[in-house]
Amino acid sequence: MFHRATSGHRKCQNDVSYLPGWDADPSHGLPLLPETRELGALCAGNPIQRLFPGAFFGLSSLQKLVAVDTNLQSLEDFPIGHLKTLKDLNVAHNLIHSFKLPEYFSNMPNLEYLDLSNNKIQNIYHEDLQVLHQMPLLNLSLDLSLNPLYFIQPGAFKEIKLRELTLRSNFNSTDVMKTCIQGLAGLKIHQLVLGEFKNERNLESFDKSLLEGLCNLTIEKFRIAYFDDFSEDTTDLFNCLVNVSTISLVHLSLKRPKYLPKNLRWRRLEMVNCGFEEFPTWELDSLKEFVLTHNKGVSPFTEMKLESLEFLDLSRNGLSFKGCCSHSKLGTSRLKHLDLSFNDIITMSSNFLGLEQLEYLDFQHSNLKQASDFSVFLSLRNLRYLDISYTHTQVVFQGIFDGLVSLQVLKMAGNSFQNNFLPNIFKDLTNLTILDLSRCQLEQVSPVAFGSLPKLQLINMSHNNLLSLDTLPYEPLLSLQILDCSFNRIVASKEREWQHFPSNLVSLNLTQNDFACVCEHQNFLQWVKDHKQLLVETEQMVCAKPLDMQGMPMLSFRNATCQRSKTIISVSVFTVLMVSLVAVLVYKFYFHLMLLAGCKKYNRGESTYDAFVIYSSQDEDWVRNELVKNLEEGVPPFQLCLHYRDFIPGVAIAANIIQEGFYKSRKVIVVVSQHFIQSRWCIFEYEIAQTWQFLSSRAGIIFIVLQKVEKSLLRQQVELYRLLSRNTYLEWEDSVLGRHIFWRRLRKALLDGKPWSPEGMADAENS
C-alpha cells in the first residue's frame, strides 16, 4: 500500500510480506494513484518475502526507488527491468550477497545512482559487471560501503567508466584493502572515495603503500576520510595521484605534513580536520583552489606561495593574521575567493594590495582590527560578496565601504555604530541587493541611509532597538521586496508613514516588537489588519501595552473602545467649528447684511440714479470719455452714480458703495476687463451687487465686456464666469456699426423700468 510521504516520494512502511502483480490481477492489490507515476517510491522497512513480476507495474515515469531494509537477497529477482526512466536505486541495508548486475540494467539507460551499501557482498568478479561492459552507464555512481569485501578480480573493472565509486569501511585488513584496490585496475572514474566512517572503523592504521594500486586507475577526483594513524611522510604518498585534479583529505592525522613533490598537477586541495600543528607551506604551481578548515591546533598563519590560486578557504582554524591581506602574504595575485571566517585576530593593514580581483570575502566571527583610518576596501572594485558579521567592528568612519562599487551582498550583523545611529555609509554601493544589519544595537536610522541603493531587494534589521517603524529611509528603495524588522522595540508607526513603503515590497516582518494597542495608534493598527498579506506571521504580532491587552494578538484590537471617546471629541469639535463658522460668516457677510437692512428701508423710495457703475480705476478713461459722455449727454439723458464724483467725502468707501451706489440706483453697470478681475475692490462691489440684485425686485445688472478676457483668468471668478456664460451681455466694439449697436442696446436696457413722458419717449426713439 502506498502513502504520500513528506519528502516528495511514495512511502510504504507497513507490514507487507509480498507485493502482488497488479498487471496480472489488479484485484490482488490497491490501485496505483495517478501522481505516483511522476514521483519516487519508498518501500523501506518492510520484511518483503516475495515480489511478483508486476509489483511495480504502471510506474512509467518513476525516477527514484528506495527499497532499504526489505530483506532483499538478490537483484536478479527484483522486478524493475521495465522502469526505463529510473535514475536512483537505493537497496542499502539488505541481504544481497552477489554483486552481479542483472541483464535488465541494459533497459535503464538513465540510471545514475546505485546504493548497495551495508549488504553482504564479499567478492566481485568480471562476469558481475558484464552488463556494464555491454552497455556502459557513463554517469553511474556506485556505493559499496559497509560491504565485507574480500576479493575483487583483477580486470573486473577494466575500461569501465563510472561517475563515482565509494568504498568506506569495507576491508578488515590493510592487505585486503591493497588487494581490492589493485583489482580496480583499468577503471576510469570521475571520483573515488576511500576510507572509514566516523563510527565504523575497520582499519586503525594506514600504510602509504595502500595507494600504490591507484596508479592503474584513471581518476579525476580522489577523497580519503577517517584514518587516525595516517602517514605524515607525504613525499611519495601521492605518487599515483599526480594527475588527479581534486584531492580531499578528511579527518586524517597530518600533524606535521612534509614536503610535496612539485610535479603534482592538482587544481583543488581540500584538507578538513586533519589535526595540523603547523601551517603547511607547500608550493603547488598548478593549485587553483585550496581549502584548509577545522584545524583548531594549527600554528599562526605563515606566508604561502601558490601563484595560480584563485580560491582560498582558511575558515574555522583559529588562525591569527598580522598584516592582512596582500598578494605577498598569500602568494598569489589571482585570488577571487577568500574565506577567513571563524578565526582569531585579523589585523587589517595591507589593504589588499595585489588582490584587486577578489570577488568574495568572508571575515565573519573573526576579530577584525583596522590599522588605518581610511577604507581598507578601496582597491576591491570587483568585490561582490562581503561578510564582516560579528567581527567586533564599531563603525565610526562613514567611508568604511568606499570603493566597493560592484558589491551585491553585504553582511555586517552583530557589530555596532557610533551613538547607535545608522548614517549613510553605503554611498558607493549602488549595486547592492542584500544587506544584513541585524543585532547592531541600532536605535535610529538616518532618512538618507539607503538613498544610494536603487537595486537593494532585502534588508535585515531584526534584533535591534528601533522604537518606531520609521519608513522614510526605505522610500527610495524601489526594488525592495523583503524587510525584516522583527525583534525590535517598535511601538507603532508615525501617522501616515506607512505610505512611504516601496510598492514592490512583498514581505514585512514585524513580529516580536513592543506594540502599543491604544486608540492613539488605531490608524496603524487598522493598517496592520488591512495588510495581512504583506506582513509575516501576523498571529505572532502581539500587544505589549496596555497591561489588560498584553500578549493579545494585534488583530484582536477593536476600534469600538475608541468610538465613544471619538464621539465626545467630535461633538466638541463640531460645536467649536460651528461657533467659529458663524463668526466667520458674520465677519465675511457684514456688508451683505447691511445691504439687507437698507433694502427694507429704501425699497419704496424713488431712485436718484439710473445706474451705479462698477469698474476698475485703470478703465476710468473709457468710463469718462465713452460711457458718461454718451449716456448723460445723450437723448434721453441718464444719471449715473460714479464713485469719483458722487461718493460723499468722509464716509467709509464700503458705506458709500452701499448707501450712495446701490440704495439710490435702479440698475448696476459692471464694466468687465482684465483689470476688473484682478481688483479686490471690484470683486467686492460685484459680490455686493449680486446680493443687491437678489434682495431688490427691481434691480438689474448690466454686464459690459470691455475687452477680450482670457478664459483661464475669468474662471478664477467662478460665479462671474457662470453669469457671463448663461446671460446676455454687451461687448464693446470700437467700430461705427459696433458702437451704434452697443449704445442702442445699452440705452434700451437702462430705459427698462424708467418712467418717461410720451414726448420724451418719442424724442428717444427719434434719437
Side-chain angles (χ1 to χ4, degrees):
M1 182 177 180
F2 288 86
H3 302 278
R4 185 181 298 276
T6 57
S7 58
H9 48 245
R10 291 286 154 187
K11 185 177 180 181
C12 51
Q13 292 183 339
N14 296 292
D15 190 11
V16 179
S17 59
Y18 73 94
L19 290 177
W22 292 337
D23 54 341
D25 188 356
S27 63
H28 290 168
L30 295 176
L32 190 65
L33 298 177
E35 60 267 31
T36 308
R37 302 175 184 270
E38 304 299 331
L39 303 172
L42 173 60
C43 300
N46 290 303
I48 298 175
Q49 298 177 2
R50 185 179 180 186
L51 287 168
F52 284 87
F56 298 102
F57 174 77
L59 303 176
S60 59
S61 299
L62 190 69
Q63 296 185 11
K64 182 174 183 178
L65 176 60
V66 180
V68 175
D69 197 15
T70 57
N71 291 338
L72 187 64
Q73 298 185 14
S74 172
L75 289 176
E76 288 281 356
D77 300 328
F78 204 37
I80 60 172
H82 62 288
L83 302 179
K84 297 182 180 181
T85 59
L86 196 65
K87 290 184 177 181
D88 190 334
L89 176 59
N90 189 344
V91 289
H93 293 268
N94 280 296
L95 305 174
I96 300 173
H97 288 78
S98 173
F99 182 64
K100 182 174 178 57
L101 301 181
E103 290 292 331
Y104 63 71
F105 267 60
S106 61
N107 294 329
M108 295 186 291
N110 299 312
L111 192 64
E112 296 178 354
Y113 182 74
L114 174 59
D115 190 347
L116 283 165
S117 62
N118 210 343
N119 276 279
K120 306 297 181 182
I121 300 172
Q122 294 183 337
N123 302 305
I124 298 177
Y125 300 101
H126 184 274
E127 59 267 20
D128 294 340
L129 296 164
Q130 192 63 35
V131 66
L132 295 184
H133 286 284
Q134 295 174 356
M135 183 179 178
L137 298 175
L138 302 180
N139 291 322
L140 181 63
S141 295
L142 183 60
D143 191 347
L144 292 173
S145 301
L146 296 170
N147 280 281
L149 289 179
Y150 184 77
F151 174 73
I152 296 179
Q153 183 180 3
F157 286 89
K158 186 177 181 180
E159 296 189 0
I160 287 180
K161 294 182 180 180
L162 292 176
R163 178 71 180 174
E164 182 176 325
L165 175 61
T166 304
L167 297 172
R168 298 179 67 177
S169 296
N170 293 100
F171 316 108
N172 58 11
S173 69
T174 55
D175 292 335
V176 173
M177 182 176 179
K178 185 184 298 185
T179 301
C180 289
I181 290 178
Q182 291 174 350
L184 297 175
L187 175 64
K188 297 180 180 180
I189 186 167
H190 181 72
Q191 176 165 291
L192 176 63
V193 181
L194 296 179
E196 304 289 290
F197 287 104
K198 183 177 181 179
N199 299 318
E200 293 283 347
R201 304 294 183 91
N202 294 331
L203 300 176
E204 295 296 335
S205 62
F206 181 87
D207 184 353
K208 66 178 184 178
S209 64
L210 291 175
L211 301 182
E212 292 178 357
L214 299 180
C215 290
N216 299 318
L217 281 68
T218 302
I219 306 172
E220 181 71 20
K221 296 181 179 180
F222 177 73
R223 180 181 178 90
I224 187 166
Y226 287 100
F227 279 107
D228 291 334
D229 191 11
F230 198 77
S231 175
E232 295 183 9
D233 184 4
T234 55
T235 304
D236 301 320
L237 179 62
F238 302 111
N239 283 343
C240 292
L241 298 171
V242 172
N243 296 319
V244 172
S245 67
T246 300
I247 293 286
S248 297
L249 309 177
V250 182
H251 286 272
L252 305 180
S253 180
L254 285 169
K255 297 181 181 179
R256 296 178 179 85
K258 296 184 179 179
Y259 173 79
L260 282 178
K262 286 190 175 182
N263 62 337
L264 295 176
R265 300 179 183 176
W266 299 346
R267 298 172 65 85
R268 180 179 175 91
L269 173 59
E270 298 176 359
M271 295 188 292
V272 181
N273 200 354
C274 290
F276 287 111
E277 294 180 357
E278 297 178 0
F279 193 87
T281 56
W282 297 326
E283 295 183 12
L284 298 172
D285 295 338
S286 62
L287 200 65
K288 289 194 172 184
E289 299 182 14
F290 183 30
V291 178
L292 175 66
T293 65
H294 295 83
N295 293 281
K296 292 297 184 181
V298 69
S299 61
F301 174 79
T302 55
E303 293 184 4
M304 303 187 305
K305 189 175 182 181
L306 303 170
E307 295 181 355
S308 300
L309 199 66
E310 297 179 359
F311 184 104
L312 178 59
D313 184 354
L314 297 177
S315 62
R316 301 179 185 273
N317 292 311
L319 289 169
S320 59
F321 295 81
K322 294 182 179 180
C324 177
C325 299
S326 67
H327 72 285
S328 59
K329 292 283 186 181
L330 302 178
T332 178
S333 59
R334 301 181 181 180
L335 204 61
K336 295 183 178 179
H337 181 111
L338 177 58
D339 190 344
L340 297 177
S341 60
F342 295 92
N343 281 292
D344 200 0
I345 297 176
I346 301 177
T347 305
M348 311 287 291
S349 61
S350 299
N351 303 318
F352 301 94
L353 295 175
L355 299 178
E356 290 80 7
Q357 296 186 41
L358 266 179
E359 297 179 1
Y360 181 102
L361 183 58
D362 191 347
F363 287 116
Q364 62 171 308
H365 290 276
S366 296
N367 192 352
L368 284 184
K369 300 292 185 182
Q370 187 170 341
S372 58
D373 294 331
F374 54 88
S375 176
V376 297
F377 309 115
L378 198 60
S379 62
L380 301 182
R381 303 186 67 84
N382 294 314
L383 197 69
R384 288 174 170 78
Y385 181 99
L386 175 61
D387 192 342
I388 58 170
S389 303
Y390 305 98
T391 54
H392 303 92
T393 299
Q394 183 179 27
V395 179
V396 179
F397 173 52
Q398 293 194 16
I400 182 174
F401 300 121
D402 286 358
L404 299 178
V405 295
S406 299
L407 197 67
Q408 297 177 359
V409 178
L410 174 59
K411 297 183 178 181
M412 50 188 307
N415 293 300
S416 60
F417 292 81
Q418 189 175 27
N419 300 323
N420 298 325
F421 176 78
L422 178 64
N424 183 11
I425 58 175
F426 313 112
K427 55 182 178 296
D428 272 6
L429 312 185
T430 54
N431 288 298
L432 199 66
T433 58
I434 297 175
L435 176 61
D436 186 356
L437 290 166
S438 59
R439 300 184 185 275
C440 289
Q441 307 173 46
L442 288 171
E443 296 178 0
Q444 286 184 301
V445 179
S446 168
V448 296
F450 310 121
S452 57
L453 306 177
K455 297 182 181 180
L456 195 62
Q457 298 178 11
L458 184 151
I459 304 181
N460 186 355
M461 298 289 291
S462 65
H463 295 87
N464 282 294
N465 296 319
L466 301 176
L467 296 175
S468 174
L469 182 59
D470 188 359
T471 61
L472 284 175
Y474 311 109
E475 185 177 9
L477 303 177
L478 302 180
S479 301
L480 188 64
Q481 298 181 16
I482 299 174
L483 175 60
D484 188 349
C485 291
S486 61
F487 292 92
N488 276 275
R489 298 165 57 193
I490 297 174
V491 175
S493 176
K494 296 179 182 178
E495 185 71 17
R496 301 186 182 277
E497 273 215 358
W498 50 81
Q499 297 179 359
H500 297 291
F501 275 128
S503 58
N504 287 332
L505 194 68
V506 296
S507 176
L508 174 61
N509 192 342
L510 296 176
T511 58
Q512 304 297 325
N513 277 285
D514 299 336
F515 294 113
C517 300
V518 295
C519 295
E520 180 184 353
H521 305 308
Q522 65 174 334
N523 289 337
F524 171 69
L525 297 171
Q526 185 61 44
W527 181 87
V528 170
K529 293 180 181 180
D530 296 340
H531 294 80
K532 290 188 293 184
Q533 74 284 356
L534 174 66
L535 297 166
V536 175
E537 298 178 346
T538 51
E539 65 278 359
Q540 294 187 23
M541 295 174 60
V542 298
C543 303
K545 298 176 183 179
L547 290 177
D548 58 338
M549 292 194 65
Q550 193 172 46
M552 294 181 61
M554 292 179 64
L555 297 178
S556 63
F557 179 82
R558 297 290 179 266
N559 294 334
T561 55
C562 302
Q563 294 302 323
R564 290 190 296 272
S565 300
K566 187 181 291 186
T567 302
I568 296 173
I569 294 174
S570 299
V571 171
S572 302
V573 171
F574 179 75
T575 303
V576 172
L577 288 176
M578 289 302 296
V579 172
S580 302
L581 180 62
V582 170
V584 170
L585 291 176
V586 170
Y587 175 78
K588 183 174 182 180
F589 296 103
Y590 170 74
F591 295 108
H592 299 74
L593 296 174
M594 284 180 57
L595 188 64
L596 175 62
C599 284
K600 292 182 178 180
K601 178 179 179 181
Y602 293 99
N603 193 34
R604 296 181 181 179
E606 293 184 1
S607 299
T608 305
Y609 305 105
D610 293 301
F612 171 48
V613 183
I614 300 175
Y615 63 95
S616 170
S617 60
Q618 297 189 46
D619 299 323
E620 190 167 322
D621 288 343
W622 183 87
V623 172
R624 290 189 179 194
N625 298 329
E626 295 290 344
L627 189 66
V628 174
K629 184 176 181 180
N630 281 280
L631 292 182
E632 290 192 344
E633 297 178 8
V635 179
F638 295 98
Q639 185 65 33
L640 302 178
C641 179
L642 302 168
H643 66 81
Y644 70 86
R645 185 186 65 187
D646 300 314
F647 280 8
I648 301 174
V651 179
I653 296 176
N656 265 320
I657 291 172
I658 295 173
Q659 295 175 3
E660 297 301 320
F662 292 108
Y663 289 166
K664 296 182 180 181
S665 301
R666 291 188 303 108
K667 295 184 181 295
V668 173
I669 296 176
V670 179
V671 181
V672 180
S673 67
Q674 292 188 10
H675 304 306
F676 177 90
I677 295 174
Q678 295 172 347
S679 172
R680 294 180 61 187
W681 274 110
C682 290
I683 297 302
F684 169 74
E685 290 177 298
Y686 161 70
E687 290 177 352
I688 298 298
Q690 281 188 293
T691 306
W692 170 75
Q693 184 183 34
F694 174 76
L695 295 175
S696 178
S697 58
R698 63 181 181 179
I701 300 177
I702 301 170
F703 290 99
I704 297 175
V705 177
L706 189 59
Q707 56 187 224
K708 293 289 184 181
V709 183
E710 295 182 6
K711 287 188 176 181
S712 59
L713 185 63
L714 188 58
R715 284 172 179 164
Q716 294 178 9
Q717 302 299 329
V718 179
E719 288 299 325
L720 179 60
Y721 176 74
R722 288 178 178 174
L723 284 173
L724 291 177
S725 300
R726 298 175 182 175
N727 295 277
T728 302
Y729 58 87
L730 297 175
E731 189 169 359
W732 171 253
E733 185 176 346
D734 195 6
S735 64
V736 176
L737 180 60
R739 292 165 64 92
H740 174 75
I741 296 174
F742 174 83
W743 294 118
R744 189 178 61 139
R745 295 179 64 194
L746 180 56
R747 287 190 181 94
K748 184 176 181 181
L750 290 173
L751 285 172
D752 182 30
K754 180 179 177 65
W756 290 101
S757 62
E759 294 82 0
M761 289 292 293
D763 293 339
E765 289 177 1
N766 293 331
S767 174

